[in-house]
Amino acid sequence: MTGFRLALKDAVRFVKSSLMVPVCQLGDDAVVSAAKTSMASKLLNADELFWSRLAVDAVRSVKTLAANGKARYPVSAIHILKAHGKSSRESELVNGFAINIQRAAQGMPTVVKNAKIALLDFPLQRHKVQMGIAVQVDDIAEVEGIRQRELDITKERIQKILQSGANVILTTKGIDDTCLKYFVEAGALAARRVKKEDLTRLARATGGRVVVTLADMEGNETFDSESLGSAELVQEERVGDGEMLYVRGTSCSRATTIVLRGANDFHLDELDRALHDVLMVVKRVLESAAVVAGGGAVEAALSIYLEKQAHTLGTREHLAVAEFAQALLVIPRTLSVNAAQDAIELVAKLRASHNAAQQHLQDDLQKFTGLDLTTGRIRNNLAAGVLEPAISKIKCLRFATEAAITILRIDDMIKLNPMAQE
C-alpha cells in the first residue's frame, strides 16, 4: 500500500511537470479537440465538428465567476430538450431557458416582455369544501350562495397573484377553466403541469422562489411579490410537432437550452447521454485550463517513468511501484485490442518511443506520442488533436489507486462450512 501511494505521488508529479499542457498555449482549438476526443466512440462521432462546437458554445455561455475570482461553468444551467422530427444536425443552441410546455389557453398572449414569473407548486382550481365536512342548509337559495362563495375564494386567490405584478404563471399542477378565464381577462400567460425540476432550475435562473402555498404565518392567504422571478422576454414558439415556452434574459444567472432533434425517443435518449459526457469534458478543460495527450500517451509515459523510479528504490516498495507501472499498460493494450490491431507490437513501439523521449530530452514533442488506432501506428497525439482533460486523468489515477488499496486492506475472508446433510 505504501508503494502504491508512492507510485501515485510520483505519477501525479510527473504528469503536472512534464505531460500537462496549458490550454492557452494551444488556443481555443484545444477545447474543441478535447470534445471531439470524448465523442470518438459515441453516436455523435458522425458529426463531431458540429456537436463539439455546439457543446463548447453552450458551456461557455453559462460562465460565472466564483467568490475567489475563478471561472465556473455550471453544466446544470444548460437545459436539454428533446423534440421529435428533423435530422440531429438541426439541433440548435438557444440563448435562454426553454420548457417543453405551451399556453394553457389560446386567448393568452404568446409574447410577454419584462416578465414577472410566478412559480407555483399547487393547483389553481375552483375551491371546494374539504372531504368529511357536511353543510346543512334550510333554504335551497343558500346552496347557490355557497357555490358563489367558492367562486369568490378562487377569484380572490387569482387576484392576489396578479396584484403582486405577475404576468407569467407557471405551476406544476393543473389549472381549471374558471382560473383560466381570470388569467385571460388579465392578459397574463399561464402554463400548467410544468416539471418540478424545470421549475426549480428556472427559479434559480430568474431569482424567483417556488411557492407551495398561499397561507402565511397568521393563517391568511397572501402572495409575496419578492417570490417572483424576472426575465426580459417570455415567448411561445413552435418547435417540431408542438410548442415550447422560451424564457430569455434571465436576471440572476445565464441560462442556455439545447434543443435536440431526432427520429424517435431511443435516438434522442442516446444523443442526450452522449452530449452530457461531452459537456462535462468541456467543463473540465475550461475550469482546469490544462490538457494531456490521449491515446495511451500518458499511461505509457508514466509506465516508463515509474519503472525507472522503481530501480532507484532500495526498499521493498520497489515491487509495488514496478507492478503499478506494468498495470498502466493495460490501457494502451486494451485500446489496441478493441481496434483489432496488434497490441503487442503497438505497445512495444509506444514504450520505445517514450523511453527515448525520457532519455533524450532534446525532442520535447516525443513525450506526446500515442496510438493512432485507425492506421495502426504511433503518432504525436498532441498535434493530432487527441486531447483529454488533465484533471480527469489525475483523478482517474487517484481513484484507481484508492480502489486497489481498499482491496488490499482485506486481509482475511471467513467462509462458513456448509451444513451437514442428515
Side-chain angles (χ1 to χ4, degrees), residues 50-51 54 58 79 81 86-95 237-240 244 246 248 256-261 275:
F50 168 78
W51 288 108
L54 185 143
H79 190 211
L81 279 181
K86 295 189 177 181
S87 166
S88 59
R89 281 189 59 86
E90 297 185 59
S91 302
E92 60 176 341
L93 178 64
V94 179
N95 183 19
E237 296 181 9
R238 184 168 186 82
V239 177
M244 289 187 182
Y246 288 87
R248 294 186 170 91
T256 299
T257 300
I258 298 176
V259 181
L260 296 178
R261 307 306 300 271
L275 184 59

Side-chain angles (χ1 to χ4, degrees), residues 29-41 45 48-53 278 281-282 385-387:
D29 290 341
V31 185
V32 177
S33 297
K36 287 181 181 178
T37 304
S38 67
M39 65 178 73
S41 60
N45 189 41
E48 58 177 14
L49 184 60
F50 168 78
W51 288 108
S52 57
R53 288 178 175 172
V278 178
V281 167
V282 175
V386 181
L387 305 175

Side-chain angles (χ1 to χ4, degrees), residues 216-407:
D216 57 13
M217 299 298 292
E218 285 77 23
N220 301 320
E221 288 190 340
T222 58
F223 189 85
D224 190 0
S225 59
E226 293 182 357
S227 61
L228 295 176
S230 58
E232 295 178 2
L233 180 70
V234 176
Q235 183 177 9
E236 184 187 73
E237 296 181 9
R238 184 168 186 82
V239 177
D241 299 332
E243 286 78 20
M244 289 187 182
L245 213 58
Y246 288 87
V247 182
R248 294 186 170 91
T250 53
S251 58
C252 281
S253 64
R254 303 191 64 180
T256 299
T257 300
I258 298 176
V259 181
L260 296 178
R261 307 306 300 271
N264 50 49
D265 288 334
F266 301 106
H267 188 204
L268 291 171
D269 289 343
E270 185 60 32
L271 288 177
D272 186 9
R273 284 190 291 270
L275 184 59
H276 181 267
D277 294 343
V278 178
L279 293 175
M280 295 304 296
V281 167
V282 175
K283 166 190 164 73
R284 298 293 183 207
V285 172
L286 291 176
E287 289 185 352
S288 64
V291 294
V292 294
V298 174
E299 290 80 9
L302 287 177
S303 177
I304 297 295
Y305 175 75
L306 291 177
E307 277 188 2
K308 293 180 180 179
Q309 288 295 102
H311 293 314
T312 64
L313 297 176
T315 59
R316 67 178 65 186
E317 279 78 14
H318 82 280
L319 295 173
V321 175
E323 288 299 321
F324 193 104
Q326 284 296 317
L328 289 171
L329 293 178
V330 171
I331 301 297
R333 192 177 298 121
T334 305
L335 289 174
S336 303
V337 171
N338 289 344
Q341 302 288 351
D342 189 346
I344 297 176
E345 183 179 354
L346 273 180
V347 173
K349 290 181 180 179
L350 192 61
R351 282 172 53 82
S353 177
H354 281 281
N355 184 59
Q358 294 180 25
Q359 285 182 349
H360 310 289
L361 299 178
Q362 63 270 19
D363 189 2
D364 194 42
L365 295 178
Q366 199 171 5
K367 62 185 179 183
F368 302 121
T369 302
L371 300 176
D372 180 6
L373 297 175
T374 304
T375 60
R377 300 174 182 174
I378 60 174
R379 65 179 178 184
N380 182 350
N381 274 347
L382 183 68
V386 181
L387 305 175
E388 299 179 44
I391 187 173
S392 298
K393 187 67 70 175
I394 292 173
K395 283 186 176 181
C396 286
L397 289 171
R398 285 177 174 157
F399 292 157
T401 305
E402 288 300 323
I405 291 174
T406 302
I407 295 173

